[in-house]
Amino acid sequence: MDEIQLSALKYIVSYAYEHTLFYKKLYNNIDISSLSSIEELPIVTTEFLKKYPHEFKTDEPVYKVVMTSGTLSNPKILYRTQQDFEKSVDNECLLLNWAGIQKNDIVCIIQPFGINGYGELTLEACKKLGIFAVPLGDVQDDIVLAAIKTFSPTVLDISPSRLLTILSKIKPEENSIRLAMVAGEHITPNFKSNIFRKYGIQIINQYGSTELDGLAAEKLNEEGLHLIPNSFIFEIVDDQIVVTSLYHKGTPLIRYMLGDIATINNNIIEVCGRNASIQLIDGIILEQSIIDSIVAKYNGLFWQCILYNNKNTLCIEFRIFGDTSIDCELILKELTNSLDFEDLVSQKKVLLSCKSTSRIVGNTRKAIRYLDARNYSETISFELLKANCFEAYYYSLPRLTSSNIEKVISTYNLIDTNKLVDIGIFITHFWNERTWKLCPRIFHYCYNRNSKLLLKKCLEMAVNSDWEVREEAAKVIAIIVMNEFDRIDNWLNQEVSANFLRFFLQTL
């Protein structure tokens, strides 16, 4: 094993140095004589990847692009070669075998597909193994329930919180599920036993990342997350997991620090949480790892942070999903002390509350969501937009019905047009029902305020060297043309109309 890894390490380090601008600048006098030599290489952080995504890209032909949503900063962009993708599919086949999935199983994939998801890996792995798969994606609950009733799947590939939501709605006589592969969220120790006791469903926990695809998974009837052999080298540095991919050539990642706190023993990894903090507004910081540890201590399965505004007070409500016996008062006391909120609470700048719930609000793919389940807060949304927290803003929005969409639009008169165009482009990434309701209103608003600026941004995207950006431009332009058709002549008569028309015709 060591000889195989050493040979692969020498190759990928040399390849990255010769074929990427980033590693060419980073490395000096490389000498990989043994596996321990890896410790002499610099550690690469997520900040490097966010700041210089194109410098990580090699000159290999791009087969697929993957991108994180960029909750609080620039998204991470990863390039995949066809060989990268196929190897990740092979790894996913291994994980399906570990889970004990057979050819007579029916796998329902309820994970995101496309640029922000990895549902394709499970789908392609199922095809390769001859397993019937239903690729639903990140769709609404009623579609999932209808698919379960129609296809009677025996296996779900799903996030833990989404699983809880679906199981709470499914009729017992329509529940054909025997096993669920869960990924994308940290689960507490009693999650698996709770689901098995209540629904008779076995849970297989999987661990991976957008940057590196699948990394580890549980085996059926065995404890612990087993690391995938041969594909990666794992290290623990300052209690955090550092991964070197031995096969990704589109975007090589060598000594990449994921940000997860973990321990490794006998090729089994225990992920303890994410080493991350999120700054809200007015210097208020939420430490995810601290909240995780407190919630787990009191047998909570999940937690959410619901943020809203009440006059001059920022209200932070923690919702804990778990047994009814959860002591929310004790959790709240520990949260107040551990997060250093005592002064803010005493000054009535922050109101903290905590309650147990059987309902997960929205999609908890990440630990913290900025949602207001009761009344939409224009003030909080405005602060999130000012801070460029576009995903936080997106998830703070209420359900876009005819009665409240005007409240959302009213926020925009306080936002700079340039930033408003950016948020419209960001929301276009999701390409879902909310996109179709909100983006036409945003772009209509921008069109009326400064049509030249909107056109300029579209053209900049349209001539970008990155095909993915050009693809996003096509979505934006399609929304604009469909909703401003009667006024589009004014655009086409501007000095850059020929370039715009040429690009638009190419996208049809």
Side-chain angles (χ1 to χ4, degrees):
M1 177 72 75
D2 286 353
E3 291 182 3
I4 294 174
Q5 286 193 327
L6 178 58
S7 176
L9 177 62
K10 287 180 177 179
Y11 175 80
I12 199 67
V13 169
S14 175
Y15 183 88
Y17 179 79
E18 293 173 2
H19 293 271
T20 72
L21 182 59
F22 178 81
Y23 290 102
K24 190 78 170 179
K25 295 177 180 178
L26 185 67
Y27 290 160
N28 184 28
N29 298 325
I30 308 169
D31 180 22
I32 304 295
S33 56
S34 65
L35 283 178
S36 61
S37 300
I38 195 173
E39 297 174 5
E40 300 174 10
L41 298 176
I43 287 178
V44 175
T45 67
T46 58
E47 295 307 313
F48 285 119
L49 189 56
K50 291 175 183 178
K51 193 172 183 179
Y52 310 109
H54 306 301
E55 292 190 11
F56 277 83
K57 179 182 177 296
T58 63
D59 48 12
E60 289 274 354
V62 175
Y63 178 76
K64 190 177 186 293
V65 176
V66 179
M67 186 173 71
T68 62
S69 50
T71 308
L72 297 173
S73 59
N74 295 330
K76 288 169 280 189
I77 302 172
L78 294 307
Y79 297 93
R80 300 282 192 256
T81 67
Q82 185 171 355
Q83 186 180 10
D84 294 343
F85 182 75
E86 290 173 354
K87 178 59 178 175
S88 291
V89 170
D90 287 341
N91 286 342
E92 188 63 29
C93 288
L94 177 64
L95 302 188
L96 292 180
N97 287 329
W98 284 359
I101 296 175
Q102 307 293 325
K103 286 190 176 181
N104 59 349
D105 276 311
I106 299 175
V107 179
C108 195
I109 306 171
I110 314 170
Q111 294 281 17
F113 282 69
I115 197 167
N116 294 129
Y118 64 91
E120 291 93 342
L121 293 178
T122 306
L123 177 61
E124 293 302 317
C126 287
K127 289 179 181 178
K128 199 165 186 176
L129 296 173
I131 299 169
F132 177 27
V134 182
L136 288 183
D138 195 7
V139 296
Q140 295 177 348
D141 291 349
D142 57 345
I143 297 177
V144 174
L145 295 171
I148 290 174
K149 182 178 180 180
T150 301
F151 297 104
S152 300
T154 55
V155 178
L156 298 185
D157 183 10
I158 193 169
S159 68
S161 60
R162 190 74 189 278
L163 175 65
L164 291 170
T165 301
I166 295 301
L167 291 179
S168 68
K169 296 180 178 181
I170 193 171
K171 296 178 180 178
E173 64 272 17
E174 295 175 358
N175 187 358
S176 55
I177 305 158
R178 69 172 184 85
L179 182 144
M181 301 183 299
V182 299
E185 299 164 352
H186 180 65
I187 63 174
T188 57
N190 61 335
F191 178 84
K192 295 170 64 177
S193 59
N194 183 282
I195 295 296
F196 186 78
R197 183 177 66 253
K198 193 170 182 179
Y199 301 101
I201 296 173
Q202 286 191 287
I203 299 296
I204 297 292
N205 191 19
Q206 298 181 331
Y207 174 65
S209 73
T210 302
E211 302 96 312
L212 296 157
D213 299 326
L215 294 170
E218 291 178 324
K219 297 181 180 181
L220 188 64
N221 299 322
E222 291 188 30
E223 292 296 324
L225 289 164
H226 296 254
L227 296 170
I228 295 176
N230 300 329
S231 295
F232 308 97
I233 294 176
F234 298 90
E235 305 171 76
I236 299 296
V237 180
D238 296 331
D239 296 325
Q240 295 188 55
I241 184 170
V242 173
V243 185
T244 295
S245 172
L246 298 176
Y247 74 90
H248 284 103
K249 294 171 69 177
T251 298
L253 292 176
I254 301 169
R255 298 206 83 199
Y256 180 71
M257 183 170 278
L258 277 174
D260 289 330
I261 301 172
T263 59
I264 296 177
N265 187 21
N266 294 327
N267 208 46
I268 292 178
I269 185 170
E270 181 181 354
V271 183
C272 307
R274 179 157 289 269
N275 181 30
S277 62
I278 294 181
Q279 181 167 337
L280 303 181
I281 57 177
D282 297 329
I284 297 173
I285 296 176
L286 296 181
E287 296 283 354
Q288 294 190 45
S289 59
I290 292 176
I291 302 171
D292 282 341
S293 64
I294 294 172
V295 170
K297 178 179 176 181
Y298 290 93
N299 298 320
L301 298 178
F302 279 100
W303 63 271
Q304 284 186 307
C305 173
I306 315 298
L307 181 70
Y308 59 100
N309 193 51
N310 183 8
K311 297 181 180 179
N312 296 320
T313 302
L314 177 61
C315 302
I316 303 175
E317 177 187 297
F318 291 97
R319 292 190 172 191
I320 314 297
F321 189 102
D323 295 333
T324 55
S325 60
I326 287 177
D327 193 329
C328 289
E329 290 187 9
L330 281 177
I331 293 178
L332 183 60
K333 184 177 180 179
E334 286 211 36
L335 287 171
T336 304
N337 295 333
S338 301
L339 297 172
D340 295 328
F341 278 1
E342 297 98 325
D343 291 341
L344 292 171
V345 170
S346 64
Q347 297 168 16
K348 297 185 178 180
K349 291 183 178 180
V350 169
L351 175 63
L352 286 181
S353 60
C354 179
K355 68 177 184 179
S356 62
T357 180
S358 60
R359 177 173 174 260
I360 297 292
V361 180
N363 186 335
T364 58
R365 196 165 311 284
K366 295 184 180 177
I368 296 178
R369 287 304 189 200
Y370 305 80
L371 300 170
D372 181 0
R374 291 159 295 183
N375 57 344
Y376 174 61
S377 169
E378 293 91 341
T379 303
I380 295 299
S381 287
F382 178 64
E383 293 294 336
L384 292 172
L385 282 177
K386 281 202 307 182
N388 291 324
C389 300
F390 288 167
E391 190 185 40
Y393 167 78
Y394 176 80
Y395 283 104
S396 76
L397 296 176
R399 184 178 294 276
L400 296 180
T401 62
S402 57
S403 61
N404 62 27
I405 194 169
E406 291 304 324
K407 289 184 179 180
V408 176
I409 301 300
S410 67
T411 310
Y412 298 152
N413 62 359
L414 303 173
I415 301 298
D416 174 76
T417 305
N418 191 64
K419 184 172 290 188
L420 192 55
V421 173
D422 288 341
I423 183 63
I425 292 171
F426 175 83
I427 293 176
T428 305
H429 289 318
F430 294 94
W431 205 243
N432 54 21
E433 185 179 356
R434 178 171 285 188
T435 298
W436 306 326
K437 286 183 178 180
L438 189 56
C439 283
R441 303 295 299 270
I442 293 176
F443 292 132
H444 177 76
Y445 203 91
C446 295
Y447 185 99
N448 288 335
R449 292 171 89 179
N450 192 337
S451 61
K452 289 186 177 181
L453 173 63
L454 183 57
L455 175 58
K456 181 181 177 182
K457 288 234 176 185
C458 289
L459 288 172
E460 288 174 352
M461 294 172 65
V463 298
N464 193 287
S465 59
D466 189 333
W467 68 268
E468 180 196 347
V469 177
R470 297 196 300 271
E471 186 178 73
E472 291 300 324
K475 292 180 182 178
V476 173
I477 292 169
I479 291 173
I480 295 170
V481 171
M482 284 190 294
N483 292 277
E484 305 291 342
F485 190 79
D486 58 336
R487 301 197 293 171
I488 206 67
D489 282 347
N490 294 331
W491 258 20
L492 298 180
N493 288 331
Q494 296 184 40
E495 57 185 24
V496 287
S497 60
N499 290 333
F500 174 80
L501 185 59
R502 187 183 305 113
F503 170 76
F504 180 66
L505 291 175
Q506 289 173 352
T507 65
L508 296 179

